[in-house]
Amino acid sequence: MRFCLNASVLALLLLTSTALYAQDLPPLGTSSVPPADLTEVEPDPEPEPEEAPATDPDNPAAPAAVAAPAAAPTGTDASAKKSMKKSEPPAEDEGDPRLVSPGLNTEGSVGMQRMAAAWGGTPMTLQVALLGEVYSGRNAVRFNDTNTLFIGDLVIQGSPIEYFSANLRLQTRNNVNTFGRPQSMLTQGDVLLGLKGSYPLGDGLWLGGDLTLDFPTDFGGSGVRFAATSVRPRILFSFDGSGLDAKIPLKGHVNLGYRADNTPKLIPDGVEVTRIERFAYELSAYDFVEIGLGFMYDLPYVSPFLAWNLSAPVAAEDGTCGQANLPCVADAGFASFPNVISLGVKAEPVDHLGLHLGIDLGLTSQDAAGLPVTPPYTMVFGVAWTIDPKPKVEYVEVESTTPVAQPQRFIVGSVLDKETKQPIAGAVVRYGGTETPQATDTDGSFRSYGFVPASALALSFEHPDYEKLELDVTLETGEGEQEATIELVPAVKLATISGRVEDEKGQPVPNIRVKMSGPQIYEPLANSDGTFEETVAAGAYTVAVSAPGFLTRGQDVSVNPDAKLGLIIVLKPAPKETVVTLREDKIEIQEKIFFETGKATILRKSFWVLDQVASLLSENPQIKTIQIEGHTDDVGADELNLELSQLRAESVRAYLMEAGISRSRMIAKGFGETRPILPNTSRRNQGFNRRVEFTIVKQ
């Protein structure tokens, strides 16, 4: 007999800690709609109250609706009420309230029988289940025997936070076989701990992963044998059709895992385990690659399911295939793999109480050494209870002879960024009356209070990063909802750009013209001392300064909201000859750029050409990207020419950056001798091939 004294203590700690954690947090799913006055009256005669939809605490893809009472009609006389009584919240069209929740599987995870769902339970809830497994038959473990197996499980599953859950399973096994020595083999106190994380992929798809640790008690003794701990990680994929617009009542699961089985370490040295002991204590000499596929269909009151699980044995213990009366797994093949089909139904006769009934049909047709026998069938049954400590909303119904409230109409909408079409969370919605302002959800959605149909409504939408929007809306006639898409314009964030313009001697330049090109175009007036200042919308700008007798000089800058940027721009005298021309796809230069022989150092006599290139780029901010291309002749090694051309292109880019052109607007690319414009048959032709070109990539 195996026995573990700490199992019940561990279960109690998990149950208590999760419940206390839930008590300290506010209830989830609270509506932004303010509750109605508890003295609200109903028409006379009193209508039948609507049935509240059943919550689904284990299926995050189909959350329970949060109903809010309608606002009281004007002119209600509170003194006219006769009595008050508790009632269920009004039902909203969120699905069939007769459908059942998934409940726990035999491992304590949300799912069905042998399958785990990729999602976990509802945050801050607990589920407790008692599950039993029974097999009784002849000739299953060995020829002409009679065997009865009972497995009892207490499983606890808790979800302290969203997308994470943990489960604990305490197990007892009792196997009686007519050939056993002794006939009855009992284990108690096996503890299994599971952790699961999940994440929604959207459109009804979920991805999850779990890890199960199996802590068995010692074989023929007491106390946990940690050396025999088995570990099983899995990847979980799930599909929930109820999360789609079509509301398909079908759930599907795929489980892929690896079980590192260490139960052979429970067997004392020198002891040869019999087939009956291997079956009774579930001892395996193999690790397993596990594959599972399952489906569940939601019908009123019951949910039938179908699942298939296959365990492929791998990594056998030494000496496993030494038995003379049983074949090795390698010889028996697929027929010896543990292979099970599960059929069954789940039901939920009352809220939070789940019932389970199923059967495992063994498809394994060949026994093999080192593997427990797969029984031809196993009956599985159980009951589960969901514990939700969150406070419940109470509704009251008041009898009165006052007139019935008018029909109500709601606006259901989304608030989006007008430029990016992305949802805006936290936008404040006001209705122009006494109603409390609302804030949009993380997906930008909102649902208004109820208003009288066909009435005029003043709406306003505000957000710190957007311009305020005010609308006058006339509601449609009749009860119900009407959709609205609201687009907000991003607010302009202001900054300041100032500068001083001087010549190469440090003297101010008069009669300058300044142009700032960016999110908007600004042309500030300059002072006589060559200074200027302008308040602009935050962003990236090309600041170009020109004056008679000087080359245009500019600087690419980026200014943050509320920032002040100061520039000093030095103008150079305009050359007598213009050698730089803007073409459709390139900047054409009529003079060569000269470098030191065999080096990337630009000679001073070429500075005036590059100054004109910088001037042209400053005057044409629409040129977003240019490629500076370096070329050589065929003298020298190909690799050295390619490297030299790259370094020369980078030197040109560095010069233009010092002239105020942003690095982000320039690409330096060396081509070596691969793109000659003339055959390298003479020194003259080689001189033409040694060149720098400017190609416009984007404008």
Side-chain angles (χ1 to χ4, degrees):
M1 177 184 297
R2 291 183 283 164
F3 185 70
C4 179
L5 296 176
N6 295 328
S8 60
V9 176
L10 185 58
L12 181 59
L13 286 175
L14 178 62
L15 178 66
T16 304
S17 62
T18 309
L20 290 175
Y21 175 79
Q23 294 284 358
D24 292 335
L25 294 176
L28 296 178
T30 54
S31 172
S32 61
V33 181
D37 190 346
L38 293 183
T39 61
E40 179 182 339
V41 295
E42 295 293 329
D44 189 15
E46 175 186 355
E48 290 294 327
E50 296 179 4
E51 181 181 354
T55 58
D56 187 349
D58 304 304
N59 185 358
V66 179
T74 58
T76 301
D77 186 1
S79 62
K81 65 180 181 178
K82 294 183 178 180
S83 65
M84 294 194 298
K85 60 180 180 180
K86 293 182 180 180
S87 67
E88 295 295 326
E92 295 185 3
D93 187 13
E94 294 285 344
D96 193 334
R98 302 169 297 169
L99 299 182
V100 303
S101 59
L104 301 181
N105 63 6
T106 53
E107 300 172 350
S109 178
V110 172
M112 56 186 188
Q113 202 145 309
R114 309 286 176 190
M115 298 293 300
W119 51 73
T122 301
M124 295 176 291
T125 61
L126 280 175
Q127 284 187 296
V128 182
L130 294 173
L131 297 170
E133 304 175 47
V134 174
Y135 162 73
S136 182
R138 296 174 57 86
N139 302 316
V141 182
R142 56 167 291 176
F143 178 72
N144 206 29
D145 72 341
T146 299
N147 193 99
T148 300
L149 170 68
F150 173 78
I151 302 175
D153 291 299
L154 167 64
V155 293
I156 303 172
Q157 190 263 0
S159 301
I161 59 176
E162 191 174 13
Y163 304 140
F164 176 79
S165 60
N167 61 78
L168 175 72
R169 174 166 55 139
L170 308 179
Q171 185 180 89
T172 179
R173 297 172 60 93
N174 186 18
N175 190 78
V176 179
N177 190 288
T178 52
F179 288 93
R181 297 295 181 269
Q183 288 190 2
S184 177
M185 299 180 184
L186 176 67
T187 66
Q188 289 182 335
D190 286 356
V191 179
L192 292 92
L193 176 65
L195 304 173
K196 181 165 69 173
S198 58
Y199 187 77
L201 301 178
D203 294 333
L205 296 178
W206 286 75
L207 172 65
D210 68 2
L211 177 68
T212 300
L213 303 177
D214 186 347
F215 302 101
T217 50
D218 203 0
F219 183 74
S222 62
V224 174
R225 185 75 174 270
F226 289 103
T229 300
S230 297
V231 181
R232 187 197 62 191
R234 284 190 305 186
I235 298 177
L236 313 174
F237 298 92
S238 292
F239 165 78
D240 184 4
S242 64
L244 303 178
D245 292 339
K247 302 293 182 184
I248 303 172
L250 178 68
K251 297 179 177 69
H253 308 289
V254 177
N255 294 177
L256 303 174
Y258 184 89
R259 177 182 174 85
D261 195 309
N262 290 317
T263 52
K265 296 182 181 179
L266 293 172
I267 304 172
D269 294 338
V271 175
E272 183 175 352
V273 179
T274 66
R275 296 171 67 182
I276 297 173
E277 290 172 331
R278 193 173 292 281
F279 176 76
Y281 297 121
E282 201 173 4
L283 304 175
S284 173
Y286 290 86
D287 291 347
F288 295 97
V289 175
E290 299 180 342
I291 303 173
L293 178 65
F295 298 93
M296 184 165 67
Y297 195 84
D298 292 328
L299 295 173
Y301 306 112
V302 296
S303 293
F305 60 82
L306 170 66
W308 169 69
N309 284 275
L310 174 69
S311 298
V314 295
E317 289 283 319
D318 295 337
T320 298
C321 296
Q323 301 184 30
N325 58 338
L326 285 177
C328 185
V329 169
D331 298 326
F334 182 81
S336 64
F337 290 8
N339 193 357
V340 175
I341 283 184
S342 302
L343 301 168
V345 294
K346 289 179 174 292
E348 192 172 0
V350 297
D351 259 0
H352 304 315
L353 177 65
L355 304 180
H356 179 106
L357 179 63
I359 184 171
D360 290 339
L361 300 177
L363 304 181
T364 305
S365 58
Q366 176 68 55
D367 295 343
L371 290 178
V373 172
T374 301
Y377 76 91
T378 303
M379 296 298 301
V380 182
F381 54 90
V383 60
W385 180 255
T386 300
I387 302 172
D388 185 357
K390 296 188 298 293
K392 303 298 180 181
V393 178
E394 300 228 339
Y395 293 79
V396 296
E397 179 181 296
V398 182
E399 297 180 2
S400 176
T401 57
T402 56
V404 64
Q406 295 184 17
Q408 293 189 323
R409 190 156 190 86
F410 301 85
I411 298 177
V412 178
S414 298
V415 180
L416 308 177
D417 185 301
K418 188 172 184 178
E419 296 179 357
T420 65
K421 308 303 181 185
Q422 295 298 310
I424 301 175
V428 178
V429 186
R430 289 184 171 87
Y431 298 97
T434 59
E435 297 83 1
T436 302
Q438 296 175 327
T440 56
D441 206 343
T442 54
D443 60 354
S445 63
F446 70 95
R447 185 176 188 271
S448 75
Y449 304 108
F451 295 97
V452 178
S455 61
L457 190 62
L459 297 179
S460 68
F461 300 86
E462 299 178 54
H463 191 278
D465 297 331
Y466 294 86
E467 299 288 346
K468 181 178 179 181
L469 178 64
E470 296 182 347
L471 296 174
D472 291 326
V473 177
T474 300
L475 299 177
E476 299 174 5
T477 59
E479 290 186 318
E481 299 175 346
Q482 64 187 68
E483 297 182 354
T485 300
I486 308 300
E487 296 183 346
L488 299 185
V489 177
V492 177
K493 300 295 185 179
L494 299 180
T496 301
I497 298 178
S498 62
R500 185 175 76 251
V501 182
E502 57 189 37
D503 58 19
E504 292 180 305
K505 298 180 181 180
Q507 297 301 314
V509 177
N511 302 321
I512 63 172
R513 180 176 179 268
V514 182
K515 184 175 182 180
M516 303 176 183
S517 302
Q520 299 180 32
I521 296 178
Y522 301 91
E523 296 186 16
L525 295 176
N527 301 316
S528 58
D529 60 353
T531 59
F532 64 90
E533 182 174 294
E534 184 70 21
T535 300
V536 301
Y541 288 87
T542 295
V543 181
V545 179
S546 60
F550 292 89
L551 273 177
T552 299
R553 189 78 168 199
Q555 191 162 345
D556 292 329
V557 298
S558 181
V559 57
N560 296 322
D562 301 323
K564 292 185 177 181
L565 178 64
L567 305 174
I568 298 178
I569 299 177
V570 179
L571 298 185
K572 293 184 177 182
K576 296 180 180 179
E577 182 183 2
T578 300
V579 295
V580 177
T581 306
L582 177 61
R583 303 298 184 191
E584 182 177 352
D585 60 349
K586 64 169 50 179
I587 298 174
E588 187 177 275
I589 59 175
Q590 299 169 9
E591 290 286 339
K592 291 186 59 176
I593 308 298
F594 292 96
F595 300 87
E596 292 185 16
T597 302
K599 297 182 180 180
T601 304
I602 304 172
L603 296 181
R604 179 175 294 275
K605 65 180 180 179
S606 293
F607 288 174
W608 71 286
V609 179
L610 293 179
D611 287 340
Q612 291 189 45
V613 174
S615 177
L616 187 145
L617 288 172
S618 297
E619 292 173 346
N620 294 274
Q622 76 278 5
I623 300 177
K624 299 301 182 183
T625 308
I626 62 166
Q627 180 166 279
I628 305 169
E629 301 174 354
H631 301 272
T632 67
D633 56 26
D634 64 346
V635 178
D638 296 350
E639 294 81 2
L640 293 178
N641 284 336
L642 183 62
E643 181 181 358
L644 179 60
S645 66
Q646 179 66 37
L647 292 175
R648 288 180 171 179
E650 291 175 357
S651 293
V652 172
R653 180 175 62 184
Y655 186 93
L656 295 177
M657 287 172 59
E658 290 182 2
I661 307 304
S662 171
R663 182 187 183 94
S664 63
R665 296 177 66 188
M666 298 180 290
I667 301 171
K669 178 68 175 179
F671 291 95
E673 60 188 75
T674 61
R675 295 185 178 183
I677 57 177
L678 292 173
N680 288 288
T681 56
S682 66
R683 289 190 175 182
R684 179 178 180 274
N685 289 359
Q686 289 173 341
F688 280 114
N689 290 333
R690 295 190 299 271
R691 67 197 189 277
V692 174
E693 294 182 339
F694 301 88
T695 300
I696 298 175
V697 177
K698 180 181 179 182
Q699 64 177 332

